[in-house]
């Protein structure tokens, strides 16, 4: 469909965005954060359960906490820019535009997942060094997990969002821009 000379209509795209496509993107949006949440649970259990053994250098969590915001900023920037550069990949099976949308979703989530996991590693190192109970400020490194979860909640794929993304990718614009009702509204002077 993406190879036609004219952009597809919303009805044509809705025929391509099957329930399986929607479900696949939803699984991706739920699966990627699960590793981060699982590791976060292990860190919390270790922090509040058995505590740290003090085997690690106490300076390591401080250094990781300094690196964490830089890493987060860089990967968040990449999450905004890199997926937009994806074009449909004609060699892959399936619709190239859907492949680009799927690939973009995976890239964005991976870019958000990296800092979240790094934050939990920093918390883990603070537990292992035995400094977390005395310096709970290290828990701030877990904040990037909330950024990941907020993104997943705000951008969770629905059929309508996928159709809109498809139309934008092929240059047909969002469905609201083509709505006849919108063009019939009086213009403000």
């Amino acid at each position: 469909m993406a190879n036609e000379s004219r952009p597809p209509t919303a009805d044509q795209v809705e025929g391509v965005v099957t329930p399986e496509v929607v479900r696949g993107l939803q699984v991706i949006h739920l699966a990627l954060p699960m590793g981060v949440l699982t590791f976060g649970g292990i860190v919390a259990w270790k922090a509040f359960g058995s505590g740290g053994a003090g085997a690690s250098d106490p300076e390591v969590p401080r250094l990781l906490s300094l690196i964490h915001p830089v890493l987060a900023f860089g990967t968040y920037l990449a999450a905004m820019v890199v997926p937009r550069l994806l074009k449909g990949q004609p060699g892959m099976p399936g619709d190239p535009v859907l492949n680009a949308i799927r690939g973009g979703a995976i890239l964005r989530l991976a870019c958000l997942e990296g800092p979240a996991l790094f934050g939990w590693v920093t918390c883990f190192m603070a537990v292992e060094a035995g400094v977390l109970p005395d310096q709970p400020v290290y828990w701030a490194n877990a904040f990037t997990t909330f950024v990941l979860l907020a993104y997943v909640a705000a951008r969770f794929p629905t059929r309508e969002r996928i159709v809109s993304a498809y139309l934008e990718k092929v240059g047909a614009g969002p469905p609201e821009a083509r709505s006849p009702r919108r063009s019939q509204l009086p213009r403000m002077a």
Side-chain angles (χ1 to χ4, degrees):
M1 174 181 310
N3 295 333
E4 295 175 7
S5 59
R6 289 189 336 217
T9 65
D11 291 336
Q12 289 171 324
V13 173
E14 286 177 7
V16 174
V17 180
T18 63
E20 292 78 20
V21 168
V22 175
R23 196 170 22 261
L25 278 165
Q26 289 174 341
V27 166
I28 290 168
H29 273 73
L30 292 173
L32 277 168
M34 289 309 294
V36 172
L37 293 175
T38 301
F39 191 72
I42 292 168
V43 172
W45 170 77
K46 192 126 174 77
F48 297 114
S50 63
S56 176
D57 182 357
E59 193 65 17
V60 171
R62 188 181 77 74
L63 292 173
L64 293 177
S65 292
L66 294 173
I67 294 169
H68 188 210
V70 176
L71 173 75
F73 178 76
T75 56
Y76 292 166
L77 185 62
M80 291 186 291
V81 175
V82 174
R84 291 182 186 173
L85 302 176
L86 285 181
K87 304 290 182 217
Q89 299 170 340
M92 295 196 51
D95 187 288
V97 177
L98 285 177
N99 289 339
I101 291 169
R102 188 179 302 109
I106 292 169
L107 275 173
R108 277 188 202 93
L109 288 167
C111 287
L112 296 172
E113 181 187 37
L117 195 52
F118 190 89
W120 283 115
V121 167
T122 304
C123 291
F124 182 77
M125 297 303 291
V127 168
E128 286 298 301
V131 297
L132 192 61
D134 297 330
Q135 299 176 31
V137 70
Y138 286 117
W139 283 115
N141 287 289
F143 176 75
T144 47
T145 297
F146 297 108
V147 173
L148 170 65
L149 296 176
Y151 175 84
V152 168
R155 299 293 305 258
F156 194 73
T158 62
R159 189 165 198 268
E160 293 77 23
R161 285 182 176 161
I162 298 168
V163 167
S164 178
Y166 192 109
L167 291 169
E168 287 179 35
K169 203 86 160 139
V170 297
E176 301 82 40
R178 296 179 325 277
S179 172
R181 282 181 254 137
R182 182 181 175 114
S183 63
Q184 294 171 355
L185 293 175
R187 294 183 182 209
M188 295 185 64

